[in-house]
Amino acid sequence: MGIPVVEVPTKPFAGQKPGTSGLRKRVPEFQQKHYTENFVQCILDAGLGSKKRGSQLVVGGDGRFLTMEAVNVIIKIAAANGVSRLIVGQNGFLSTPALSHLIRKGHEGKPVDGGVILTASHNPGGPKGDFGIKFNCDNGGPAPDHVTDAIYTATTKIDKYFSAEELSCDFTVPGRNEYEVDKYGKFVVDVIDSVNDYVNFMSTIFDFAKIKRLLTGELTGRKFRVLVDSMHGATGPYVSTLLVDHLGADSNDLLRTVPKPDFGGGHPDPNLTYAKTLVDKMKGGDYDLGAAFDGDGDRNMILGKESFFVTPSDSLAVIADNVDAIPYFRSKKVTGFARSMPTAGAVDLVAKAKGLEVFETPTGWKYFGNLMDAQRIALCGEESFGTGSDHIREKDGVWAFLAWLQILAERRESVPQIVQAHWKKYGRNVFTRYDYENVDAAGANLLMTFLEAQFPAFVGRQLSANGVTYKVAVADNFQYKDPIDGSVATKQGLRLVFEDGSRLVFRLSGTGSAGATIRLYVDSYIPADDAQRLCAPAQDLLKPLVLIALDLCKMEQFTNRTAPTVIT
Ligand code: G16
């Protein structure tokens, strides 16, 4: 007799609709009886479809509060649904990029059919914080819209789930666990080391020996010092192994490397507001390169000496311009680049100069997947601190940091020198994002409706602030037709494009767990020959467009907010 499969009656929960990247809610919501079980059953049914029986899946997450409980639920439900094998990170721990690679790599010679990632990314954790569950497909990338829509539909109809209640698996110790389950027979849980595979993979992408010569001073006659903040998220163990064991960095220069279920009470979002510790320490001028990563390790922030901030849009463009410094890109044909629509257009200029394709996609890494699978792009990024390549199908914070180190080892210039030289070559897309977090959802929706209603009248209008005038060339709600499968995503953000190429974008975030978050994106282009303004402080250059934007959308009237919660 095997472990019995129990059929548990349940009812749908409202609101189990995956957002920009999976289902993200407050922990107590996930703790409701049957809530997590329902969603996992729907992932298996609608995410895997006919592949469910006999499938292999990778499971892991950033170690936030509720991870252990959720892994237990997934193991029991997977066993009771005929899944044949789970590959689980030790203690349920895997960064999002590491998990994406494990899916793509296959397991013991057999393909992996997908993965379940337990994270709410950059959102805070802990008993009152956020939790999240995301399904990734067999290409290693986040499920596309038609799959998440099918999962959501299933959540609205579910009346039972299956569970091998008596199955108990200790996933704190690496090794193989085998079970006999009624109806389905053998079920295997392989508990794996969470770090080794990813570290080995990075050593095939970058020239570690050269990066080590940069860090130790062998390359330039001077030690190159890095300061890294893992914000108590998933990257700590990866960064420690890579930088200290393989690249010769000083372990004292790695901050908050121990993953904590509540991220030490912090907000693990690598931006100028939430990674302030790093920003302040970098100001001292002792370090040449600084980086911070988010909860699940897919986001990154890059700083140069004295806290010189490299906007994510510039970071993408600089990596694009220097792809030849990176062995992985040298070994293949780089066909094109992509960025999400709100991301500043700096990478477009590099693509044009190199004669490569460039794509503008909606916000959400899932929209890059088809382009990478079809080998139309090798590198892509987003203003939301996401940078990555087709080595996996998620953005990859540690990869981006290593890419910068490789470029710095090649060019032997400082971060500010490299970025300013880039502006002198291509012009500068000065960029900022204002976030109004946790505002009243009704007010946020009204603001968007109010603004969009005026769009037809905007085209051709001149808008001025602080003596600067912009003429509106395009005003629309962004729509994207996927060039590979023809699917269409509508209503992806309100966009005002001005005649000089500058842009204003208004969007509601799809990753929050309470209320609404309004994002205002400002992209102001300064041509390369405008020597006077090219290297001026970003706030000064952005001021007129920011004022125009706040006035147009009547931000204060609709939200009662006089200032954003975060400016990046
Ligand atoms: C997710 C998505 C990104 C997106 C970001 C912000 O990142 O993967 O593609 O840019 O959310 O989305 P929104 O503006 O809708 O909040 P992560 O790091 O949270 O998984």
Side-chain angles (χ1 to χ4, degrees):
M1 268 273 289
I3 299 169
V5 169
V6 183
E7 188 178 311
V8 185
T10 187
K11 283 192 187 128
F13 286 88
Q16 289 197 325
K17 189 170 173 55
T20 307
S21 197
L23 181 69
R24 291 183 191 170
K25 300 281 180 195
R26 293 273 195 257
V27 163
E29 202 156 343
F30 274 102
Q31 285 170 322
Q32 296 171 85
K33 197 170 178 195
H34 303 322
Y35 188 93
T36 301
E37 288 83 349
N38 275 17
F39 194 67
V40 171
Q41 180 69 52
C42 294
I43 282 182
L44 298 183
D45 289 340
L48 291 168
S50 59
K51 285 199 293 184
K52 183 173 80 169
R53 190 159 180 181
S55 59
Q56 303 202 93
L57 298 175
V58 184
V59 178
D62 55 16
R64 67 178 57 225
F65 189 87
L66 217 61
T67 298
M68 300 297 268
E69 291 85 343
V71 172
N72 258 316
V73 165
I74 293 167
I75 292 174
K76 287 171 199 260
I77 295 188
N81 275 275
V83 171
S84 71
R85 186 189 303 259
L86 294 182
I87 301 122
V88 179
Q90 186 178 8
N91 294 310
F93 181 80
L94 283 170
S95 76
T96 292
L99 196 150
S100 179
H101 180 242
L102 286 166
I103 297 174
R104 295 178 62 72
K105 193 178 128 199
H107 187 68
E108 297 182 352
K110 288 200 199 118
V112 169
D113 302 290
V116 184
I117 310 187
L118 305 169
T119 178
S121 187
H122 54 289
N123 297 7
K128 295 211 166 71
D130 283 1
F131 191 70
I133 304 184
K134 182 167 84 156
F135 176 65
N136 278 28
C137 296
D138 58 4
N139 71 346
D145 286 340
H146 70 271
V147 176
T148 52
D149 288 348
I151 293 172
Y152 173 59
T153 304
T155 68
T156 62
K157 297 181 181 153
I158 189 167
D159 59 4
K160 60 177 173 299
Y161 63 83
F162 301 98
S163 178
E165 288 295 309
E166 288 173 20
L167 192 157
S168 156
C169 175
D170 178 6
F171 51 92
T172 63
V173 186
R176 174 157 299 175
N177 303 272
E178 293 189 354
Y179 307 90
E180 269 304 303
V181 177
D182 273 0
K183 254 171 91 180
Y184 298 114
K186 193 161 115 179
F187 172 68
V188 178
V189 180
D190 280 333
V191 181
I192 57 159
D193 177 279
S194 310
V195 176
N196 284 345
D197 168 81
Y198 179 82
V199 169
N200 292 337
F201 184 39
M202 289 299 114
S203 74
T204 66
I205 291 175
F206 297 103
D207 180 348
F208 275 16
K210 191 161 189 178
I211 295 176
K212 187 170 184 178
R213 291 208 301 278
L214 172 77
L215 295 184
T216 55
E218 216 185 295
L219 209 57
T220 58
R222 186 184 72 81
K223 267 196 171 188
F224 184 95
R225 291 190 72 189
V226 294
L227 188 66
V228 175
D229 187 356
S230 290
M231 305 186 89
H232 291 307
T235 58
Y238 298 89
V239 165
S240 305
T241 310
L242 277 164
L243 278 166
V244 181
D245 301 352
H246 291 263
L247 299 172
D250 185 341
S251 61
N252 293 321
D253 295 338
L254 308 184
L255 313 172
R256 301 194 276 186
T257 50
V258 178
K260 295 195 174 170
D262 65 348
F263 306 104
H267 192 142
D269 198 357
N271 58 37
L272 295 171
T273 302
Y274 296 124
K276 194 168 177 311
T277 318
L278 178 83
V279 175
D280 290 346
K281 278 189 194 286
M282 287 293 296
K283 279 186 185 148
D286 295 335
Y287 297 94
D288 300 288
L289 179 68
F293 308 109
D294 72 335
D296 64 328
D298 55 1
R299 297 183 174 205
N300 75 94
M301 176 171 74
I302 297 291
L303 299 175
K305 215 179 178 72
E306 290 164 6
S307 259
F308 179 94
F309 174 57
V310 184
T311 68
S313 308
D314 275 349
S315 177
L316 171 65
V318 168
I319 297 173
D321 201 35
N322 289 277
V323 279
D324 291 340
I326 296 165
Y328 174 81
F329 290 128
R330 279 203 302 270
S331 71
K332 63 183 289 179
K333 191 166 160 35
V334 173
T335 49
F337 306 130
R339 63 170 170 84
S340 64
M341 181 273 282
T343 306
V347 73
D348 303 26
L349 303 172
V350 179
K352 195 170 167 214
K354 288 184 181 283
L356 301 178
E357 279 194 293
V358 65
F359 298 87
E360 185 179 38
T361 59
T363 295
W365 204 260
K366 57 190 171 191
Y367 294 104
F368 295 132
N370 275 349
L371 296 169
M372 290 195 255
D373 288 348
Q375 292 173 21
R376 298 280 287 272
I377 61 167
L379 174 75
C380 48
E382 295 185 282
E383 49 64 42
S384 56
F385 296 86
T387 329
S389 89
D390 62 351
H391 67 291
I392 54 171
R393 294 294 180 273
E394 290 277 4
K395 53 191 186 274
D396 190 342
V398 173
W399 174 92
F401 174 59
L402 292 171
W404 267 92
L405 278 175
Q406 193 78 74
I407 291 165
L408 288 156
E410 192 65 34
R411 302 234 337 219
R412 300 182 200 185
E413 292 165 83
S414 71
V415 172
Q417 281 168 342
I418 289 177
V419 174
Q420 284 167 356
H422 189 93
W423 296 340
K424 284 179 185 142
K425 185 169 168 191
Y426 293 106
R428 177 180 177 191
N429 285 83
V430 195
F431 183 85
T432 190
R433 188 176 97 183
Y434 280 29
D435 294 337
Y436 297 79
E437 296 173 317
N438 206 358
V439 297
D440 172 55
N445 286 322
L446 268 176
L447 179 149
M448 296 295 281
T449 313
F450 162 80
L451 195 60
E452 190 171 6
Q454 301 177 74
F455 266 24
F458 276 166
V459 182
R461 238 175 85 182
Q462 300 208 343
L463 304 169
S464 306
N466 285 6
V468 189
T469 300
Y470 296 89
K471 189 164 180 197
V472 182
V474 178
D476 66 4
N477 199 333
F478 181 64
Q479 171 167 320
Y480 176 67
K481 182 166 183 200
D482 186 302
I484 312 302
D485 66 14
S487 60
V488 177
T490 58
K491 300 190 191 317
Q492 296 297 315
L494 301 178
R495 192 166 68 146
L496 284 177
V497 184
F498 300 99
E499 277 187 349
D500 72 341
S502 298
R503 299 181 312 150
L504 288 177
V505 176
F506 303 82
R507 261 189 83 241
L508 296 184
S509 158
T511 56
S513 60
T517 294
I518 303 173
R519 303 205 195 284
L520 159 63
Y521 311 80
V522 183
D523 172 3
S524 180
Y525 182 68
I526 311 291
D529 58 8
D530 190 342
Q532 230 192 339
R533 292 198 301 157
L534 200 61
C535 296
Q539 314 86 283
D540 300 348
L541 297 170
L542 291 161
K543 190 93 196 223
L545 266 182
V546 169
L547 291 174
I548 289 172
L550 295 178
D551 179 51
L552 282 183
C553 71
K554 307 277 173 254
M555 185 67 80
E556 199 177 333
Q557 285 94 317
F558 283 112
T559 64
N560 280 328
R561 296 282 176 90
T562 50
T565 30
V566 178
I567 298 182
T568 38

